[in-house]
C-alpha cells in the first residue's frame, strides 16, 4: 500500500515526484518606462563611442607619462643615454667573457674603452679647431666684407644698412626656428653642474647595466602580474635586440657619412676636415636633421676658405653622401635592422625635436623602433608558449636567486 491508500501500480505520483515547470513570465509590451536609449543609437556609433573613450584613456596615460618624463628629464635623459650605450657595450662585454676574460675586467675594458674613445675624439676636435680658429675668424670677416661689397656693386644695389637688416632678420628667424633645439640643449644641462651630474649618472648607470643588467631586468619583469610576465619578458628582449641592431647599424652609417664627407673635404683641401668628419659622425645619430646641419657647416667652411667654386663642389659631395645614405644605407641596412618606414622616421624625428629638442630628435628613432617590435611581439602571441612553460616552473626571487 502506498502512503495515500492505493497500490504503487497505477497510483498517482507523490507531490515530490511531479516535476515542477518553471514559471513563465507573461510577455509585456514595451512601455514608456521600459524604453532603452541604446536602441536608438546605431551600432556603428556604439562601436565608435566604445573605441573613443578607450583611446582617450590611453592618450591620457601617455600624456601623464610624458609629463613625468619632462619633469624628470635630468634623470631620464642620462638613463636613456646609458641604455643606448649599454646596447653597444653589452655585446662587447659578452664577447670578452666568452673568450675567458674575467667579468670585472671585461666590464672595465668596455667602460674605460668608451671613455678613451670619446675623450680622444673631443681632444682631436678641440686641438684642430683651436689651431685654426684665428685663421677661420679672419677668413670669415674677410668673406663677410667681400659679400657686402659684391652686393653693393651688383645690380641689386644692396646698401650696408639693408644688408645688416637682412642679416638681422635671418638671424631672428634662425633663433625662432631653433628655439626647440636650444630648449632641448638647455634641458640636458642648463649649467655645468647639470652636465657633470648627467655625465656621472650616465657612467654609473652604464656600469651597473653592464655588471648586473640581467638581474635588473628580471626584477622589472617580477613587478608585473604573473600572467603578464611572459609577454613582458619576451617583448623586452625583442626590443633590446632591436635596439642593439639599431646602435650597431647607426654607427656603421655614421662612419660611412663621416668618411665620405671628410675625404671629400680633404681632397678639396678644405681646412678642418677632421673636425668636420667628427661632427658629421656625431650628427648622423640624429637622422635627417643632423645630416643637414653638419653638411651646412662643411659647405660654410669651404665657402669661407676656398670660395664659391669649391663650396659648390663640397655641396655636391655632401648631397651625394646624403643621397647614398637615404636611398641605399637607410632602406637596405637600417630598414632591415629596425623595420621602421622612412615616413615614420621623419615624423618621429620631427615630433621628438618639437617635444624635447635635441634629446627628443636623438631618441625618437630608437624609441619608435623598439616600441614597434615590442608591440608586434605582444600582438603576435608567441609568448603564450613561454607562459605555459613558466607555469610548470616554481617562481624565483629576482633579488636573491641568480
Amino acid at each position: 500500500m502506498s502512503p495515500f491508500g492505493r497500490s504503487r501500480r497505477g497510483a498517482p505520483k507523490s507531490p515530490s515526484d511531479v516535476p515542477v515547470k518553471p514559471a513563465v513570465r507573461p510577455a509585456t509590451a514595451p512601455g514608456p518606462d521600459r524604453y532603452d536609449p541604446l536602441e536608438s543609437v546605431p551600432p556603428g556609433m556604439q562601436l565608435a563611442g566604445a573605441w573613443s573613450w578607450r583611446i582617450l584613456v590611453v592618450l591620457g596615460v601617455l600624456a601623464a607619462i610624458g609629463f613625468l618624463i619632462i619633469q624628470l628629464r635630468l634623470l631620464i635623459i642620462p638613463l636613456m643615454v646609458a641604455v643606448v650605450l649599454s646596447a653597444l657595450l653589452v655585446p662587447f662585454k659578452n664577447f670578452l667573457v666568452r673568450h675567458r676574460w674575467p667579468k670585472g675586467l671585461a666590464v672595465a675594458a668596455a667602460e674605460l674603452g668608451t671613455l678613451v674613445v670619446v675623450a680622444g675624439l673631443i681632444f682631436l676636435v678641440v686641438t684642430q679647431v683651436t689651431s685654426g680658429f684665428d685663421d677661420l675668424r679672419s677668413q670669415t670677416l674677410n668673406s663677410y666684407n667681400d659679400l657686402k661689397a659684391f652686393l653693393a656693386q651688383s645690380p641689386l644695389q644692396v646698401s650696408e644698412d639693408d644688408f645688416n637688416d637682412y642679416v638681422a632678420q635671418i638671424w631672428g628667424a634662425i633663433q625662432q626656428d631653433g628655439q626647440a633645439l636650444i630648449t632641448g640643449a638647455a634641458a640636458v644641462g642648463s649649467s655645468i653642474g647639470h652636465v657633470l651630474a648627467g655625465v656621472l649618472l650616465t657612467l654609473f648607470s652604464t656600469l651597473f647595466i653592464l655588471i648586473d643588467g640581467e638581474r635588473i631586468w628580471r626584477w622589472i619583469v617580477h613587478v608585473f602580474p604573473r600572467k603578464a610576465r611572459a609577454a613582458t619578458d619576451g617583448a623586452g628582449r625583442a626590443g633590446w635586440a632591436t635596439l642593439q641592431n639599431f646602435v650597431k647599424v647607426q654607427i656603421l652609417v655614421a662612419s660611412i657619412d663621416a668618411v665620405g664627407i671628410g675625404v671629400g673635404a680633404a681632397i678639396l683641401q678644405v681646412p678642418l676636415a677632421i673636425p668636420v668628419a667628427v661632427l658629421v659622425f656625431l650628427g648622423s645619430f640624429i637622422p635627417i636633421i643632423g645630416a643637414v646641419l653638419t653638411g651646412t657647416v662643411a659647405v660654410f667652411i669651404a665657402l669661407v676658405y676656398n670660395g664659391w667654386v669649391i663650396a659648390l663642389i663640397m655641396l655636391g659631395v655632401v648631397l651625394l653622401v646624403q643621397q647614398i645614405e637615404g636611398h641605399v644605407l637607410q632602406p637596405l641596412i637600417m630598414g632591415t635592422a629596425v623595420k621602421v618606414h622612412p615616413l615614420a622616421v621623419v615624423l618621429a624625428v620631427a615630433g621628438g625635436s618639437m617635444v624635447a629638442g635635441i634629446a627628443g630628435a636623438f631618441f625618437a628613432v630608437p624609441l619608435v623602433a623598439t616600441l614597434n617590435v615590442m608591440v608586434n611581439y605582444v600582438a603576435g602571441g608567441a609568448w603564450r608558449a613561454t607562459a605555459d612553460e613558466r607555469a610548470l616552473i616554481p617562481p624565483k626571487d629576482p633579488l636573491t636567486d641568480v
Side-chain angles (χ1 to χ4, degrees):
M1 295 291 292
S2 68
F4 295 96
R6 295 185 182 181
S7 61
R8 189 75 177 168
R9 180 180 301 175
K13 296 181 180 180
S14 64
S16 61
D17 295 336
V18 177
V20 179
K21 295 183 179 181
V24 180
R25 289 185 177 183
T28 58
D33 56 339
R34 296 180 178 273
Y35 174 73
D36 187 2
L38 291 179
E39 294 180 356
S40 61
V41 181
M45 185 61 68
Q46 296 182 23
L47 181 62
W51 273 100
S52 298
W53 74 261
R54 288 174 171 84
I55 291 175
L56 290 177
V57 170
V58 172
L59 292 178
V61 173
L62 293 178
I65 294 175
F67 176 77
L68 290 176
I69 291 176
I70 293 174
Q71 295 299 316
L72 301 175
R73 57 186 177 272
L74 297 179
L75 176 65
I76 298 297
I77 292 176
L79 182 60
M80 295 181 69
V81 173
V83 171
V84 173
L85 285 177
S86 300
L88 175 65
L89 298 180
V90 166
F92 178 68
K93 184 261 296 184
N94 294 337
F95 172 80
L96 296 179
V97 171
R98 287 195 303 269
H99 286 75
R100 301 181 180 180
W101 281 50
K103 183 178 179 180
L105 185 60
V107 171
E111 186 91 1
L112 295 177
T114 303
L115 293 177
V116 169
V117 171
V118 173
L121 290 176
I122 294 175
F123 176 79
L124 182 62
V125 171
V126 169
T127 53
Q128 291 283 327
V129 173
T130 303
S131 62
F133 179 75
D134 294 335
D135 193 14
L136 177 62
R137 182 177 58 181
S138 61
Q139 289 288 344
T140 303
L141 293 176
N142 293 333
S143 299
Y144 180 78
N145 294 327
D146 293 341
L147 178 61
K148 288 196 299 183
F150 172 77
L151 292 176
Q153 298 174 2
S154 66
L156 298 176
Q157 298 292 321
V158 178
S159 64
E160 185 173 356
D161 294 336
D162 294 336
F163 183 81
N164 293 332
D165 291 339
Y166 294 149
V167 171
Q169 293 176 7
I170 294 173
W171 179 246
I174 292 174
Q175 287 181 325
Q176 182 178 359
D177 294 338
Q179 188 64 37
L181 298 179
I182 296 173
T183 303
V188 176
S190 58
S191 66
I192 297 178
H194 287 165
V195 173
L196 293 178
V199 171
L200 291 177
L201 182 58
T202 300
L203 293 177
F204 277 109
S205 301
T206 305
L207 180 63
F208 284 113
I209 293 175
L210 291 176
I211 295 174
D212 218 9
E214 181 66 27
R215 195 161 65 164
I216 293 174
W217 174 245
R218 285 174 53 193
W219 179 84
I220 295 174
V221 173
H222 190 77
V223 173
F224 287 83
R226 186 179 301 276
K227 292 183 179 180
R229 290 176 188 172
T232 303
D233 183 56
R237 295 183 184 276
W240 177 252
T242 300
L243 182 60
Q244 289 179 324
N245 292 335
F246 169 81
V247 174
K248 291 185 289 187
V249 171
Q250 189 60 52
I251 289 178
L252 176 61
V253 173
S255 300
I256 294 175
D257 290 347
V259 170
I261 295 179
V263 170
I267 293 176
L268 296 174
Q269 297 182 354
V270 176
L272 304 177
I274 294 178
V276 166
V278 175
L279 186 63
V280 170
F281 176 80
L282 297 176
S284 297
F285 284 91
I286 303 177
I288 303 172
I289 297 178
V292 172
L293 294 179
T294 54
T296 302
V297 172
V299 175
F300 173 76
I301 295 176
L303 176 63
V304 170
Y305 273 92
N306 304 92
W308 291 95
V309 177
I310 301 299
L312 290 176
I313 298 175
M314 189 70 226
L315 177 61
V317 172
V318 172
L319 293 177
L320 176 62
V321 171
Q322 292 182 0
Q323 290 298 316
I324 293 176
E325 175 191 352
H327 294 86
V328 178
L329 300 180
Q330 291 287 351
L332 296 181
I333 303 178
M334 185 63 72
T336 304
V338 302
K339 298 179 176 61
V340 177
H341 195 273
L343 179 59
V345 173
V346 174
L347 295 178
V349 173
S353 62
M354 288 188 293
V355 173
I358 295 176
F362 176 78
F363 292 114
V365 177
L367 183 62
V368 168
T370 303
L371 290 178
N372 177 53
V373 172
M374 295 174 68
V375 171
N376 288 334
Y377 179 87
V378 174
W383 49 273
R384 301 184 189 278
T386 306
D388 296 337
E389 295 177 359
R390 288 189 175 187
L392 304 176
I393 302 175
K396 295 183 178 180
D397 188 349
L399 297 181
T400 58
D401 296 332
V402 179

